[in-house]
Amino acid sequence: MNPDTLPPTELPLLLEPGKPPVLPAPALPDLAAARAWLSERRPAIRTELLRHGHLLLHGLPITRPEEFAELRDVLVESRAAYKEKATPRSAYGDDVYSSTDLPPAQPIHLHNENSYTLDFPGLLIFCCLEAPEKGGATTVADVREVLAALPAALVERFRKAGWLLTRNYHSHVGLPWPTAFATDRREAVEEYCERNLIGWDWTGESGLRTVQRRSALVRHPVTGEEVWFNHAAFWSRWSLDEEVLDVLTMTYGEDGLPFDTAFGDGGELDAEDVATLNAAYEAATRRESWQPGDLMLVDNVLSAHGRDAYQGGRKILVAMGEPVTLQECAPTVQPTPGPLA
C-alpha cells in the first residue's frame, strides 16, 4: 500500500517542515469530552498515522497518569509488553511508564522500540504532564525516509546479513540482568533466551552476555512498505561519546561494552558506516517542544523515536500497544542466536 493511496481525512493537521504533524484539540472541558472527541476521530487518526508514521495531538485535558491511561484505551486496541529491558523506567500502574529515567544531559538516539525482540509494540503513545524548560523533545523520524537516504550498497549488505546485537549485563552500568529480564532466576533467563533465539553465556559471578541476530529491514504489516528497523546505529560503540567509550573499554574491555552491534554475518560495523546511518536519521528527524496535555502517537514500525537533552523538570509518560510479531513483518533475515565466541 502506497501512503498516497490512503483516503483523505478531514483532520485539520498542521504541517510544518522539521516538525511532526500536529492535530490541535478544541477546548475540551473534561476527560469525558476528550474521550468522545478521540473516539469520533480515531479512524481518521489511524489513517494519518499510517500516512505520516507519527502524530502529535495538542491540548488535551490530561494532568495525571490515570487520565492518560484512560485516553490510551480509546486509541489502543491491545497492550504490549516491554521485554528485554534496556533503560530504567518508573511504573505508574495500568501499563503506564516514564518514557525513560536516563539523566537529562544524555540525549537518546533514534530507534524503533524493541527492534531486537521477536515481537514488539506496533504503537507507542507518549504523554506530557510536565514540559522541560529547555530541550527535551521526543524526536521522531520516518524510517521509510531513513531507508531511502542510505547508500544502496550498505542497505544491501544489511538486507542480506541482518544485524548482530551483543549485550553485556553488568552490575554498575546499564541494567543488570535481573532487571532486564524481570527475574532473579538464571534458569528463567536461560529458558527465555532459548525460546527467543538469543545466545547466552554467564560471565563472572553476576554478569551475563547475550548475542542475537535480527533482520535490519522489515515490512509494515498493514502497508507492506519496506522500512529501516533496528538498533544498529543506536547501540553501536561508534555512537558513544569518545570519553564514554574510553571509560567503558578501560573498565570492561573491548568485548565487554553494555551494547555493541555488527553486521549479522559478524563483519565489523565501522565508524564511517555508523556515521552514515546517523546522518540519515538526522536528515529525517522532526521535533516539537512538549506542552502539558500533548499526546504523541508513534507507529513503531514506520517511525523511530528518541529524546533531546533537556534542562528543568520533565515528566513524559509512555504506553505501548498493538503488539506485532517479527514474522508478520517479512524479515529479510531469519532471527537466530548469535555466536558467543
Side-chain angles (χ1 to χ4, degrees):
M1 179 191 299
N2 188 310
D4 295 336
T5 67
L6 291 168
T9 71
E10 296 183 357
L11 295 180
L13 296 187
L14 304 178
L15 302 173
E16 295 186 42
K19 296 186 177 184
V22 177
L23 175 61
L28 299 167
D30 53 31
L31 205 63
R35 281 200 311 270
W37 185 80
L38 285 173
S39 295
E40 182 180 350
R41 288 158 182 77
R42 185 182 185 280
I45 287 172
R46 298 307 296 266
T47 295
E48 295 296 348
L49 191 59
L50 288 176
R51 195 188 322 274
H52 298 284
H54 42 260
L55 182 62
L56 180 67
L57 309 183
H58 174 61
L60 294 165
I62 308 171
T63 59
R64 303 192 308 273
E66 56 267 30
E67 294 173 339
F68 169 47
E70 193 168 332
L71 296 188
R72 178 268 320 271
D73 290 342
V74 174
L75 296 166
V76 175
E77 294 179 358
S78 57
R79 303 180 190 183
Y82 179 42
K83 302 191 298 184
E84 298 176 45
K85 300 177 180 68
T87 58
R89 299 179 190 266
S90 299
Y92 289 91
D94 203 15
D95 294 319
V96 172
Y97 302 90
S98 60
S99 58
T100 179
D101 292 337
L102 288 173
Q106 183 176 340
I108 300 173
H109 292 278
L110 288 158
H111 61 284
N112 301 83
E113 195 68 36
N114 279 160
S115 73
Y116 46 91
T117 58
L118 299 186
D119 58 82
F120 35 80
L123 177 64
L124 309 175
I125 304 183
F126 297 90
C127 172
C128 177
L129 297 187
E130 180 184 358
E133 296 174 9
K134 182 178 180 181
T138 295
T139 53
V140 287
D142 187 326
V143 286
R144 294 168 289 197
E145 294 181 20
V146 174
L147 177 59
L150 292 173
L154 185 61
V155 170
E156 191 59 24
R157 181 162 185 189
F158 273 109
R159 179 178 282 113
K160 291 180 177 179
W163 68 292
L164 201 67
L165 170 63
T166 300
R167 295 183 66 174
N168 288 284
Y169 298 83
H170 302 293
S171 299
H172 303 296
V173 63
L175 296 182
W177 64 263
T179 303
F181 290 94
T183 179
D184 59 4
R185 295 179 54 247
R186 290 193 175 201
E187 296 84 356
V189 173
E190 294 169 3
E191 291 168 3
Y192 179 91
C193 290
E194 291 288 342
R195 290 196 310 272
N196 289 274
L197 304 176
I198 301 170
W200 54 269
D201 186 29
W202 298 106
T203 57
E205 294 185 1
S206 60
L208 172 67
R209 178 181 174 89
T210 62
V211 188
Q212 56 219 81
R213 181 186 186 223
R214 299 294 185 256
S215 185
L217 293 92
V218 301
R219 291 189 178 275
H220 191 275
V222 175
T223 71
E225 298 164 283
E226 190 171 49
V227 301
W228 184 251
F229 184 82
N230 54 73
H231 278 59
F234 177 31
W235 279 344
S236 168
R237 67 178 59 216
W238 304 118
S239 289
L240 292 170
D241 290 338
E242 186 174 348
E243 291 183 3
V244 173
L245 178 59
D246 288 344
V247 169
L248 289 174
T249 51
M250 281 192 299
T251 305
Y252 299 107
E254 288 287 340
D255 296 329
L257 296 177
F259 304 96
D260 205 4
T261 61
F263 291 104
D265 56 12
E268 179 186 359
L269 190 59
D270 62 29
E272 184 178 351
D273 294 327
V274 175
T276 299
L277 298 179
N278 283 327
Y281 279 119
E282 183 59 34
T285 296
R286 301 180 179 97
R287 54 172 51 84
E288 176 64 291
S289 298
W290 281 112
Q291 298 183 44
D294 285 353
L295 289 185
M296 171 87 83
L297 280 70
V298 176
D299 184 308
N300 187 43
V301 180
L302 294 179
S303 284
H305 67 280
R307 188 198 72 183
D308 286 338
Y310 66 94
Q311 297 175 10
R314 182 182 189 269
K315 192 172 185 179
I316 307 298
L317 309 183
V318 66
M320 308 180 193
E322 302 181 10
V324 177
T325 67
L326 177 61
Q327 294 308 316
E328 291 177 87
C329 297
T332 65
V333 170
Q334 290 302 312
T336 63
L340 288 162

